[in-house]
mmCIF file of all heavy atoms in Angstrom:
data_model
loop_
_atom_site.group_PDB
_atom_site.id
_atom_site.type_symbol
_atom_site.label_atom_id
_atom_site.label_comp_id
_atom_site.label_asym_id
_atom_site.label_seq_id
_atom_site.Cartn_x
_atom_site.Cartn_y
_atom_site.Cartn_z
ATOM 1 N N ALA A 6 2.618 6.050 -2.863
ATOM 2 C CA ALA A 6 3.745 6.826 -3.374
ATOM 3 C C ALA A 6 3.621 7.075 -4.879
ATOM 4 O O ALA A 6 4.093 8.077 -5.383
ATOM 5 C CB ALA A 6 5.054 6.128 -3.059
ATOM 6 N N LEU A 7 2.981 6.134 -5.585
ATOM 7 C CA LEU A 7 2.787 6.314 -7.023
ATOM 8 C C LEU A 7 1.651 7.266 -7.355
ATOM 9 O O LEU A 7 1.437 7.619 -8.518
ATOM 10 C CB LEU A 7 2.536 4.942 -7.672
ATOM 11 C CG LEU A 7 3.726 4.002 -7.733
ATOM 12 C CD1 LEU A 7 3.310 2.641 -8.225
ATOM 13 C CD2 LEU A 7 4.818 4.606 -8.625
ATOM 14 N N GLY A 8 0.890 7.651 -6.324
ATOM 15 C CA GLY A 8 -0.171 8.644 -6.527
ATOM 16 C C GLY A 8 -1.518 8.064 -6.878
ATOM 17 O O GLY A 8 -2.429 8.806 -7.245
ATOM 18 N N ALA A 9 -1.707 6.768 -6.723
ATOM 19 C CA ALA A 9 -3.005 6.156 -7.016
ATOM 20 C C ALA A 9 -3.915 6.351 -5.805
ATOM 21 O O ALA A 9 -3.481 6.425 -4.661
ATOM 22 C CB ALA A 9 -2.850 4.677 -7.305
ATOM 23 N N ASP A 10 -5.202 6.409 -6.089
ATOM 24 C CA ASP A 10 -6.215 6.536 -5.018
ATOM 25 C C ASP A 10 -6.336 5.173 -4.328
ATOM 26 O O ASP A 10 -6.517 4.153 -4.982
ATOM 27 C CB ASP A 10 -7.542 6.947 -5.626
ATOM 28 C CG ASP A 10 -8.577 7.276 -4.560
ATOM 29 O OD1 ASP A 10 -8.358 6.931 -3.392
ATOM 30 O OD2 ASP A 10 -9.592 7.873 -4.918
ATOM 31 N N LEU A 11 -6.237 5.176 -3.009
ATOM 32 C CA LEU A 11 -6.260 3.913 -2.269
ATOM 33 C C LEU A 11 -7.632 3.233 -2.304
ATOM 34 O O LEU A 11 -7.712 2.010 -2.281
ATOM 35 C CB LEU A 11 -5.805 4.134 -0.837
ATOM 36 C CG LEU A 11 -4.349 4.573 -0.685
ATOM 37 C CD1 LEU A 11 -3.999 4.808 0.768
ATOM 38 C CD2 LEU A 11 -3.400 3.568 -1.305
ATOM 39 N N VAL A 12 -8.709 4.023 -2.383
ATOM 40 C CA VAL A 12 -10.049 3.418 -2.501
ATOM 41 C C VAL A 12 -10.168 2.715 -3.849
ATOM 42 O O VAL A 12 -10.644 1.581 -3.936
ATOM 43 C CB VAL A 12 -11.146 4.494 -2.330
ATOM 44 C CG1 VAL A 12 -12.521 3.916 -2.625
ATOM 45 C CG2 VAL A 12 -11.086 5.089 -0.934
ATOM 46 N N TRP A 13 -9.728 3.362 -4.907
ATOM 47 C CA TRP A 13 -9.755 2.768 -6.227
ATOM 48 C C TRP A 13 -8.920 1.484 -6.254
ATOM 49 O O TRP A 13 -9.344 0.468 -6.795
ATOM 50 C CB TRP A 13 -9.226 3.751 -7.268
ATOM 51 C CG TRP A 13 -9.118 3.208 -8.639
ATOM 52 C CD1 TRP A 13 -10.121 3.155 -9.565
ATOM 53 C CD2 TRP A 13 -7.982 2.606 -9.253
ATOM 54 N NE1 TRP A 13 -9.662 2.567 -10.707
ATOM 55 C CE2 TRP A 13 -8.331 2.219 -10.555
ATOM 56 C CE3 TRP A 13 -6.692 2.357 -8.813
ATOM 57 C CZ2 TRP A 13 -7.455 1.608 -11.413
ATOM 58 C CZ3 TRP A 13 -5.804 1.744 -9.680
ATOM 59 C CH2 TRP A 13 -6.189 1.375 -10.974
ATOM 60 N N PHE A 14 -7.751 1.540 -5.652
ATOM 61 C CA PHE A 14 -6.862 0.377 -5.615
ATOM 62 C C PHE A 14 -7.533 -0.773 -4.846
ATOM 63 O O PHE A 14 -7.462 -1.923 -5.260
ATOM 64 C CB PHE A 14 -5.535 0.755 -4.954
ATOM 65 C CG PHE A 14 -4.556 -0.365 -4.912
ATOM 66 C CD1 PHE A 14 -3.953 -0.831 -6.072
ATOM 67 C CD2 PHE A 14 -4.239 -0.973 -3.709
ATOM 68 C CE1 PHE A 14 -3.043 -1.880 -6.026
ATOM 69 C CE2 PHE A 14 -3.323 -2.021 -3.650
ATOM 70 C CZ PHE A 14 -2.730 -2.476 -4.823
ATOM 71 N N GLY A 15 -8.183 -0.470 -3.736
ATOM 72 C CA GLY A 15 -8.879 -1.508 -2.974
ATOM 73 C C GLY A 15 -9.998 -2.148 -3.741
ATOM 74 O O GLY A 15 -10.173 -3.373 -3.726
ATOM 75 N N VAL A 16 -10.767 -1.361 -4.474
ATOM 76 C CA VAL A 16 -11.860 -1.897 -5.299
ATOM 77 C C VAL A 16 -11.281 -2.793 -6.382
ATOM 78 O O VAL A 16 -11.823 -3.880 -6.651
ATOM 79 C CB VAL A 16 -12.698 -0.752 -5.892
ATOM 80 C CG1 VAL A 16 -13.648 -1.250 -6.958
ATOM 81 C CG2 VAL A 16 -13.468 -0.025 -4.791
ATOM 82 N N MET A 17 -10.206 -2.375 -7.016
ATOM 83 C CA MET A 17 -9.597 -3.177 -8.063
ATOM 84 C C MET A 17 -9.052 -4.496 -7.510
ATOM 85 O O MET A 17 -9.194 -5.559 -8.135
ATOM 86 C CB MET A 17 -8.491 -2.397 -8.755
ATOM 87 C CG MET A 17 -8.980 -1.208 -9.514
ATOM 88 S SD MET A 17 -10.092 -1.624 -10.865
ATOM 89 C CE MET A 17 -8.937 -2.203 -12.055
ATOM 90 N N ILE A 18 -8.450 -4.468 -6.338
ATOM 91 C CA ILE A 18 -7.920 -5.678 -5.728
ATOM 92 C C ILE A 18 -9.047 -6.659 -5.430
ATOM 93 O O ILE A 18 -8.931 -7.863 -5.708
ATOM 94 C CB ILE A 18 -7.136 -5.348 -4.431
ATOM 95 C CG1 ILE A 18 -5.844 -4.644 -4.776
ATOM 96 C CG2 ILE A 18 -6.880 -6.589 -3.599
ATOM 97 C CD1 ILE A 18 -4.837 -5.493 -5.533
ATOM 98 N N VAL A 19 -10.153 -6.177 -4.877
ATOM 99 C CA VAL A 19 -11.294 -7.045 -4.575
ATOM 100 C C VAL A 19 -11.856 -7.670 -5.847
ATOM 101 O O VAL A 19 -12.176 -8.853 -5.883
ATOM 102 C CB VAL A 19 -12.368 -6.284 -3.774
ATOM 103 C CG1 VAL A 19 -13.654 -7.065 -3.677
ATOM 104 C CG2 VAL A 19 -11.842 -5.944 -2.400
ATOM 105 N N LEU A 20 -12.008 -6.872 -6.894
ATOM 106 C CA LEU A 20 -12.515 -7.408 -8.171
ATOM 107 C C LEU A 20 -11.584 -8.455 -8.753
ATOM 108 O O LEU A 20 -12.035 -9.523 -9.212
ATOM 109 C CB LEU A 20 -12.698 -6.279 -9.182
ATOM 110 C CG LEU A 20 -13.978 -5.497 -9.097
ATOM 111 C CD1 LEU A 20 -13.935 -4.300 -10.039
ATOM 112 C CD2 LEU A 20 -15.172 -6.367 -9.400
#
Side-chain angles (χ1 to χ4, degrees):
L7 290 173
D10 188 346
L11 295 178
V12 173
W13 177 85
F14 182 71
V16 169
M17 294 298 283
I18 290 294
V19 169
L20 277 172

